[in-house]
Amino acid sequence: MPAAAPDVIVVSIGATAGWQGADRGLAAALEAVGATVVMAQTGPVPEVRTFMLTDLVQAAAARRAAQRALDDLRVARRAPGPAIVYCSVTAALLWPRPGAIWLDALARENRPGHHGLWQRRVEIRRLAASPVIMAMAPSALDSLPAARRPPAVVVPVSVDPSGLAGGTRDIDVVAYVGDPVKRRLDVILEAWGRARREGETLVLAGLERSGALAGVRFAGPLAPDAFRALLRRARVYAAAPLREDFGITPLQALADGCRLATTPAPGAYPALALARQLDPHLVSADLATAIRTALDTSDPGYPQRAASLLAPYRTEAVQARLAEDVLPRLLPGWGVA
């Protein structure tokens, strides 16, 4: 007897470690609220030279992964069949059939000029045809003209504390610089050179580099649990992104009790708004001053205020949003007794 078709197919490119973890987390959240889920993953995608070709190669791989999942389920097909969630706009660009789109940013924002000649046009059609737009942040669609902006349900990547509060904070500052250009390693190092006092240390995660710099330690690439353990030991998390579409590491830092010192940046970047609410002095184009202020100011209530602001990002809140606002739109009869 053939197995029953799943409720949802989650289509994942997983081009970055962040997206891989987010996609798995979304599938787990859907399952936690009662949906049956199949992951359709592209596997490794070849690296190519241009943004236009990169998006084409990734979108084609996502189409093949989605179609394979649909083909595998034909023996158990039921009308209208499983719902599909495409993880990112890129994954939806060449879709074999419409589905929900879970997005952090639009091509019209991160593929300007000739970089997004075909993606921006197709994106508008996909957004219009999708039954549910799942935006990671409330501002993710703000770059669209109001007349072309579809309604969206805010479904962030879930962010929870990784351990018990109250541990020893024996690291002064942590930053994640896995992509040193996008994370502006040069800006962080220059700022730290001005902000640092004797005996203080900046730990840089995500990058291996030889050579000694005063007060700087490169931790190299870290497993997620090891990175979160580092955050639980840090007093301050520093960030200077060129742009931040969602930015899970600053949110994780807040969840683990760090103070967030950051430069302003374009993109949805929800942690930026939280940082301004928590302490506007820690958001500045002068990152050195923001870091020094974060290290020198006594504010014992900061972690508790951060935890309150992060409530919509907790796993239980994301699950409730999926159960109440997403699945009823994707699956006729969902939640009806």
Side-chain angles (χ1 to χ4, degrees):
M1 182 176 180
D7 295 312
V8 182
I9 298 171
V10 174
V11 180
S12 169
I13 297 173
T16 65
W19 265 112
Q20 290 170 16
D23 296 350
R24 290 193 298 269
L26 177 66
L30 288 165
E31 290 179 331
V33 297
T36 54
V37 178
V38 165
M39 290 285 290
Q41 298 173 301
T42 64
V45 179
E47 293 187 9
V48 291
R49 295 185 61 184
T50 68
F51 285 130
M52 280 197 295
L53 190 54
T54 294
D55 292 342
L56 180 62
V57 169
Q58 291 185 355
R63 178 185 176 87
R64 290 192 296 271
Q67 191 60 61
R68 280 196 303 269
L70 291 168
D71 291 344
D72 289 345
L73 295 168
R74 280 182 178 167
V75 293
R77 174 179 283 178
R78 60 186 179 185
I84 302 180
V85 176
Y86 297 94
C87 294
S88 79
V89 169
T90 303
L93 289 176
L94 299 179
W95 66 20
R97 68 177 233 199
I101 303 174
W102 192 36
L103 59 87
D104 59 345
L106 299 174
R108 66 180 291 117
E109 290 184 271
N110 59 24
R111 294 293 188 261
H114 69 276
H115 296 296
L117 285 176
W118 73 273
Q119 303 97 306
R120 294 192 300 269
R121 291 196 295 270
V122 176
E123 172 181 81
I124 291 295
R125 299 200 298 270
R126 295 296 180 262
L127 293 173
S130 174
V132 187
I133 304 300
M134 300 158 53
M136 289 187 183
S139 60
L141 301 179
D142 282 0
S143 63
L144 283 172
R148 306 184 81 172
R149 191 179 306 156
V153 178
V154 177
V155 183
V157 179
S158 59
V159 179
D160 298 297
S162 66
L164 296 175
T168 302
R169 299 280 171 176
D170 59 350
I171 296 174
D172 300 293
V173 183
V174 165
Y176 177 77
V177 291
D179 184 325
V181 175
K182 290 182 179 179
R183 302 300 164 195
R184 295 207 297 174
L185 172 62
D186 57 339
V187 172
I188 292 172
L189 288 175
E190 189 278 332
W192 182 239
R194 291 188 289 120
R196 177 180 179 264
R197 291 178 182 162
E198 188 65 30
E200 293 179 336
T201 301
L202 164 68
V203 177
L204 296 169
L207 186 67
E208 195 72 69
R209 180 168 291 187
S210 59
L213 293 172
V216 177
R217 178 166 67 86
F218 286 88
L222 297 173
D225 288 348
F227 178 67
R228 298 300 297 271
L230 197 65
L231 292 178
R232 293 195 300 274
R233 296 171 55 195
R235 297 167 60 198
V236 175
Y237 182 87
L242 276 175
R243 76 170 276 119
E244 195 65 271
D245 295 326
F246 181 73
I248 193 168
T249 54
L251 292 170
Q252 290 173 333
L254 289 173
D256 282 335
C258 301
R259 297 184 190 178
L260 175 57
T262 183
T263 58
Y269 196 6
L272 178 62
L274 301 187
R276 285 180 168 138
Q277 292 180 67
L278 290 163
D279 187 340
H281 299 98
L282 306 190
V283 178
S284 174
D286 182 359
L287 184 61
T289 297
I291 291 172
R292 193 70 257 160
T293 301
L295 288 170
D296 290 346
T297 303
S298 176
D299 187 356
Y302 188 104
Q304 289 72 33
R305 298 198 309 276
S308 179
L309 291 176
L310 285 167
Y313 299 86
R314 297 291 294 266
T315 293
E316 57 268 26
V318 173
Q319 291 174 355
R321 185 60 57 87
L322 291 170
E324 296 167 9
D325 296 329
V326 173
L327 288 173
R329 303 186 194 194
L330 284 178
L331 300 171
W334 177 265
V336 178

